[in-house]
Amino acid sequence: MPGLMRQLRGLGGCTTPIRLDGHRTDVHTTTGEILHHLTASDLPAGHLLVRCNNRRTTRCPTCAETYRRDTYQLITAGLRGGKGTPAEVATHPRVFATFTAPSFGPVHNRPTKGRCRCGTQHPADAPELGTPLDPDTYDYEAAVLWNAHASKIWARFSIYLRREVAKRAGLSQRAFKEHARVSFAKVAEYQRRGAIHFHAVIRLDGPDGGDTPPPPWASAELLTDAIRAATTAALVPGPVIDRRAHTFAFGTQLDIRPIRTADLDAGTELTERAVAAYIAKYATKGAETATGTLDRPLKFLAELGRKSIPEHARRLIRTAWTLGARKDLEDLRLRAWAHMLGFRGHFSTKTRRYSTTLGALRTARAEWRRLQAAIARGDQNPADPTDDDTTLVLAHWAFAGTGLTRGEEWLAASLTHDPQEGDTTA
């Protein structure tokens, strides 16, 4: 029982761990001596239990909280430095921009002034918010296809953004690479109407990224002007369905605000901490949070009849499923991503030079936990770098299932966990 409790505690509160079957052998590379041998059957749970690392709050709140914290650190490092990013990035021009989808038909909303088009002043938690005023005239087809093309629109925008910045600096695209670089980090969020929009931190750096200062002409105003021009130019041609040609672009509602440091906060300006917290919050939310849709794929459309979801989300899923049957749209994989209302892109992306990576943060956390465990065992030199040079690890693990048994769930529920501890390693 104590061993099982230690194994469950190592999950850090993960409720849907991955169960692995297999073995691990540590061999001394010089002498060939077997230093340690472990098989899954030797473990108290009968399997190696590994955190699921799911970013969705609806699937695993603990792992989602770890993902949110990591995203916060990633965004913060690109704003004020740290985690291998120089502190000088705090002086670089940067803005926080929100890119929305176009209109597919009027929906119930809460305008800052006046009432909704339906004549009602909806409360903030009204279930009808984001649903069409007239579902029969709402363009569900375009809404699903826009979600499916949202990542392509962003990719096109990022290309045009570099061109527009270079144009305003009086440089060619080739020469621009020798003077400056555009770095960004973004997350995708679902609006209540089920359309994707993007929140992004966009920064102007020197040619080698955050390690080099931006050129004298770089400013937040120039960057803002270039973003507006690139947003207008980023058009992605879509499919022709029933003689209707689709072209996709960002909506006209574009919000761009400069990011200031905390001591320059003036109410309407954004601080680094506020931006990082805002982006991290949405990194763990999917379509199911905003629209009430599903958080896992459908195998058959008939499953939809057994799901208790809003009618608006149901119609979006049905539209994606229907369009997914078309041969000319098979590259969009709409049926596989119908539960996501057509969107199949990554929810959190960044350029290489923006800051650290989620993988680096997980590795650092796992190494910290390994050192803490070594200290607890009384190792004389837990951080000895020569250990990895003299030990060969032979391991083979195979998927054996997910989740905990009823007894393991009961025991895990009795444990308390610190979400800052994060991942564990075998």
Side-chain angles (χ1 to χ4, degrees):
M1 183 63 69
L4 180 59
M5 295 293 283
R6 285 194 298 270
Q7 191 175 3
L8 294 175
R9 186 177 289 109
L11 293 174
C14 176
T15 56
T16 55
I18 300 171
R19 308 182 77 94
L20 300 176
D21 191 14
H23 60 85
R24 167 178 169 153
T25 304
D26 296 349
V27 181
H28 196 284
T29 55
T30 303
T31 65
E33 177 188 2
I34 297 178
L35 303 176
H36 180 69
H37 179 71
L38 172 71
T39 61
S41 58
D42 296 331
L43 295 170
H47 293 101
L48 176 65
L49 303 181
V50 181
R51 288 172 62 107
C52 68
N53 287 327
N54 198 305
R55 68 164 194 87
R56 294 175 182 271
T57 305
T58 56
R59 298 288 289 274
C60 184
T62 303
C63 289
E65 175 62 14
T66 301
Y67 187 92
R68 185 193 66 80
R69 290 173 180 266
D70 284 350
T71 301
Y72 177 83
Q73 294 296 333
L74 184 150
I75 299 297
T76 302
L79 291 172
R80 62 175 60 173
K83 312 296 183 183
T85 304
E88 287 73 20
V89 296
T91 63
H92 295 192
R94 61 262 175 92
V95 300
F96 178 63
T98 298
F99 304 82
T100 61
S103 174
F104 307 110
V107 298
H108 294 278
N109 61 2
R110 299 180 70 241
T112 54
K113 295 182 179 180
R115 298 174 177 268
C116 176
R117 292 188 184 184
C118 68
T120 304
Q121 193 167 8
H122 300 290
D125 58 350
E128 64 270 18
L129 286 175
T131 62
L133 270 65
D134 184 2
D136 293 333
T137 60
Y138 191 79
D139 197 345
Y140 282 96
E141 180 181 280
V144 168
L145 290 174
W146 195 93
N147 282 344
H149 288 80
S151 296
K152 292 183 179 180
I153 301 171
W154 176 267
R156 184 69 57 87
F157 159 78
S158 63
I159 294 173
Y160 279 108
L161 176 58
R162 294 174 176 88
R163 295 178 181 176
E164 295 294 338
V165 173
K167 181 189 301 184
R168 282 153 180 76
L171 300 170
S172 66
Q173 296 179 47
R174 178 173 298 181
F176 174 73
K177 298 179 181 179
E178 301 174 359
H179 292 80
R181 176 186 294 266
V182 176
S183 301
F184 66 79
K186 72 170 178 64
V187 295
E189 180 201 358
Y190 281 89
Q191 296 174 301
R192 290 196 177 187
R193 56 180 173 143
I196 280 288
H197 66 176
F198 296 118
H199 302 290
V201 174
I202 306 176
R203 192 182 70 208
L204 276 179
D205 298 327
D208 295 327
D211 295 327
T212 51
W217 49 260
S219 66
E221 291 74 19
L222 182 146
L223 180 58
T224 299
D225 188 47
I227 291 173
R228 293 190 184 281
T231 302
T232 303
L235 302 176
V236 174
V240 178
I241 300 177
D242 298 331
R243 298 183 180 181
R244 178 190 176 188
H246 291 274
T247 302
F248 302 103
F250 287 122
T252 57
Q253 293 184 347
L254 174 65
D255 182 49
I256 308 173
R257 286 186 281 174
I259 302 172
R260 310 297 184 187
T261 53
D263 58 338
L264 294 177
D265 183 29
T268 59
E269 295 176 340
L270 294 178
T271 65
E272 297 161 343
R273 183 184 298 273
V275 170
Y278 189 80
I279 289 182
K281 177 179 68 173
Y282 289 109
T284 61
K285 299 181 183 296
E288 70 282 357
T289 305
T291 66
T293 184
L294 309 175
D295 63 356
R296 61 191 70 215
L298 289 169
K299 292 185 178 179
F300 306 99
L301 186 61
E303 299 177 42
L304 199 59
R306 301 194 300 268
K307 306 295 183 180
S308 178
I309 61 175
E311 181 60 26
H312 180 55
R314 190 183 302 273
R315 293 188 67 162
L316 285 168
I317 293 175
R318 286 186 177 276
T319 301
W321 193 272
T322 301
L323 292 173
R326 297 177 61 97
K327 289 292 184 182
D328 56 333
L329 299 180
E330 60 183 1
D331 62 310
L332 299 179
R333 302 184 63 210
L334 290 173
R335 287 195 169 181
W337 296 96
H339 67 296
M340 299 300 292
L341 313 183
F343 179 69
R344 66 189 191 283
H346 292 288
F347 274 82
S348 177
T349 60
K350 72 174 191 66
T351 55
R352 182 175 300 178
R353 301 294 182 89
Y354 175 79
S355 69
T356 185
T357 65
L358 292 176
L361 293 174
R362 292 179 183 132
T363 300
R365 184 167 53 250
E367 178 64 15
W368 181 85
R369 289 180 62 84
R370 186 190 70 80
L371 292 175
Q372 295 301 308
I375 293 173
R377 292 195 302 267
D379 292 358
Q380 296 298 319
N381 191 11
D384 186 0
T386 62
D387 290 347
D388 293 336
D389 297 333
T390 60
T391 303
L392 174 65
V393 178
L394 302 175
H396 175 75
W397 299 102
F399 177 77
T402 59
L404 301 172
T405 65
R406 293 294 296 274
E408 291 167 350
E409 288 179 355
W410 183 82
L411 289 173
S414 66
L415 300 173
T416 58
H417 303 280
D418 181 0
Q420 296 188 38
E421 291 187 1
D423 297 337
T424 60
T425 56

